[in-house]
Amino acid sequence: MRRKNAIFMKNEVLERRGFLDMDIDPSLDLFEEIARLKKEKNAVVLAHYYQEPDIQDVADYIGDSLGLAQQAAKTEADVIVFAGVHFMAETAKILNPNKKVLLPDLRAGCSLSDSCPPALFKTFREKHPDHLVISYINCSAGIKALSDIICTSSNAQLIVDSLPREQKIIFAPDRNLGGYINRVSGRNMLLWDGACMVHEIFSLEKIIKLKERHPAAKLIAHPECEEAVLRIADFIGSTTQLLKFAEKDDSSVFIVATETGILHSMQQNSRNKTFIAAPPDNACACNNCPHMKLNTLEKLYLCMKYEQPEILMDEDVRLAAKKPIDRMFDLSRQLGLGG
Ligand code: 13P
Ligand code: SF4
């Protein structure tokens, strides 16, 4: 307990002192420094596809939420540097209580996770005691602790389909992913009314106009997008599924309705294809996740050097949150998705 408080204080002090914006010697080659620190500390860098290109380039593993959770579960590193958002680093900590889990910027949150506060969700769940709770991994440890099974956008449909049809289900926190699963599986899951600010920003009208200008282009979309966008999509999938589809499909032009960070990996994997970011509903670049983009290569280097900020968690919450994640891994294995 004393250790935990001490580290919490250290995190706060570091933020107050401007650790996050600390000057770095401009002569340093951060790519080399990060490689050196990885060896020195036996650290692994796990990065989500929505991270900036430089971070993706230094990562040991780049993946979607399912892949990252699977990597976090099997890593033998002593230090996990999580280049993603808070709920992802929290998941890594839930699975690795004895490892140090670092997040380059502790303020990297998630609008979807924030749309489901545990106290409100607990009351909601208590009103439906006969429902099983499936929560999308994009939620806090507090919500995971109130859930029966966790899923990601890669395995949500298979997990829901594996349950008896008469089973009543609450799906949280994303109403768009939940609505999509309801439509494809013919279920009527009760949906928590949460959403991701990035995936709800796309303009249907502008996407239709873009499709008219590029008639051969395929629209590929993440299931966190709104129903109207999903209805005109040629393919719907998690970030990894979108990446694989773009790699294998014969088309040479794709309109991509998800966070723009994925375009870096898409372009690297399919050099001769063209990827166009689906246009947002306004003039700004709002389909950049502002939370994901709080992490920078500089902050990644500093957090590895000083081993701060660190993710810490109450042990009771961790144990309760681990159960539905383990259930997801068990189901994923049974369904042939690895785990
Ligand atoms: P996936 O990584 O499951 O595709 O989810 C996308 C997302 O919004 C992560 O924050
Ligand atoms: Fe959260 Fe959406 Fe950003 Fe993903 S893209 S971290 S769901 S706000």
Side-chain angles (χ1 to χ4, degrees):
M1 195 64 191
R2 273 181 57 194
R3 180 181 131 76
K4 194 172 97 179
N5 285 343
I7 296 177
F8 269 133
M9 276 175 59
K10 207 167 165 195
N11 279 341
E12 273 171 29
V13 169
L14 286 171
E15 277 193 26
R16 267 208 312 278
R17 282 192 191 152
F19 162 74
L20 299 176
D21 302 315
M22 198 183 266
D23 281 344
I24 296 174
D25 177 353
S27 67
L28 280 183
D29 179 332
L30 292 187
F31 293 93
E32 271 175 20
E33 286 300 308
I34 289 169
R36 182 182 62 72
L37 287 167
K38 275 193 215 173
K39 270 198 200 134
E40 187 185 303
K41 297 178 187 250
N42 187 25
V44 67
V45 177
L46 306 181
H48 192 273
Y49 287 118
Y50 296 166
Q51 292 294 288
E52 61 173 45
D54 281 352
I55 294 184
Q56 292 190 38
D57 291 345
V58 297
D60 297 291
Y61 177 84
I62 317 169
D64 68 357
S65 304
L66 178 63
L68 289 166
Q70 287 168 333
Q71 287 297 319
K74 67 179 183 211
T75 183
E76 287 184 357
D78 296 316
V79 178
I80 300 173
V81 185
F82 213 111
V85 291
H86 195 270
F87 75 80
M88 296 177 174
E90 236 181 16
T91 305
K93 186 66 186 176
I94 291 167
L95 297 167
N96 295 284
N98 299 323
K99 294 185 183 195
K100 193 170 258 191
V101 178
L102 306 172
L103 180 65
D105 191 324
L106 209 52
R107 300 165 301 174
C110 166
S111 63
L112 177 54
S113 175
D114 290 348
S115 67
C116 194
L120 290 183
F121 187 67
K122 187 167 180 283
T123 311
F124 177 70
R125 183 195 136 128
E126 280 164 3
K127 284 193 186 138
H128 305 283
D130 54 343
H131 284 58
L132 188 89
V133 178
I134 303 185
S135 294
Y136 184 31
I137 199 162
N138 297 29
C139 64
S140 63
I143 295 297
K144 290 185 176 81
L146 292 167
S147 306
D148 297 299
I149 311 177
I150 295 302
C151 71
T152 72
S153 50
S154 290
N155 60 21
Q157 190 187 342
L158 284 173
I159 286 183
V160 170
D161 283 345
S162 73
L163 299 169
R165 291 211 67 83
E166 61 281 6
Q167 176 65 60
K168 291 180 182 166
I169 300 171
I170 289 175
F171 189 90
D174 189 16
R175 60 172 176 250
N176 293 316
L177 176 61
Y180 169 67
I181 303 295
N182 270 345
R183 290 193 294 283
V184 291
S185 66
R187 300 255 180 177
N188 189 21
M189 299 186 296
L190 203 51
L191 308 180
W192 181 263
D193 196 17
C196 158
M197 62 192 276
V198 179
H199 288 90
E200 285 213 325
I201 203 81
F202 298 112
S203 158
L204 182 65
E205 210 186 315
K206 288 187 195 166
I207 292 178
I208 291 171
K209 281 193 185 140
L210 198 58
K211 278 191 102 175
E212 282 166 6
R213 281 213 305 279
H214 302 273
K218 284 205 172 136
L219 172 65
I220 57 176
H222 195 281
E224 285 175 30
C225 293
E226 287 177 304
E227 181 176 349
V229 171
L230 296 180
R231 284 207 184 273
I232 61 161
D234 297 290
F235 179 76
I236 297 166
S238 73
T239 40
T240 298
Q241 290 163 343
L242 296 180
L243 196 66
K244 286 190 178 152
F245 178 83
E247 228 178 303
K248 290 203 181 118
D249 193 76
D250 289 341
S251 310
S252 57
V253 186
F254 297 86
I255 299 168
V256 185
T258 189
E259 211 270 358
T260 50
I262 188 76
L263 300 183
H264 179 64
S265 288
M266 278 184 176
Q267 202 64 75
Q268 275 190 336
N269 291 5
S270 311
R271 297 207 180 262
N272 298 324
K273 296 185 178 179
T274 304
F275 299 98
I276 308 170
D281 209 4
N282 50 31
C284 75
C286 294
N287 43 343
N288 278 329
C289 174
H291 311 289
M292 286 276 183
K293 299 304 196 256
L294 277 175
N295 294 326
T296 60
L297 195 67
E298 288 76 10
K299 289 179 196 172
L300 182 78
Y301 160 70
L302 287 171
C303 103
M304 290 182 77
K305 182 170 175 189
Y306 296 106
E307 299 188 20
Q308 291 290 335
E310 183 181 0
I311 300 289
L312 298 156
M313 196 176 303
D314 177 88
E315 183 62 2
D316 291 340
V317 175
R318 189 190 74 77
L319 289 172
K322 188 170 181 292
K323 272 191 207 157
I325 300 178
D326 286 343
R327 203 153 164 209
M328 168 180 82
F329 284 142
D330 290 345
L331 279 169
S332 285
R333 266 190 291 270
Q334 285 164 30
L335 298 167
L337 293 170

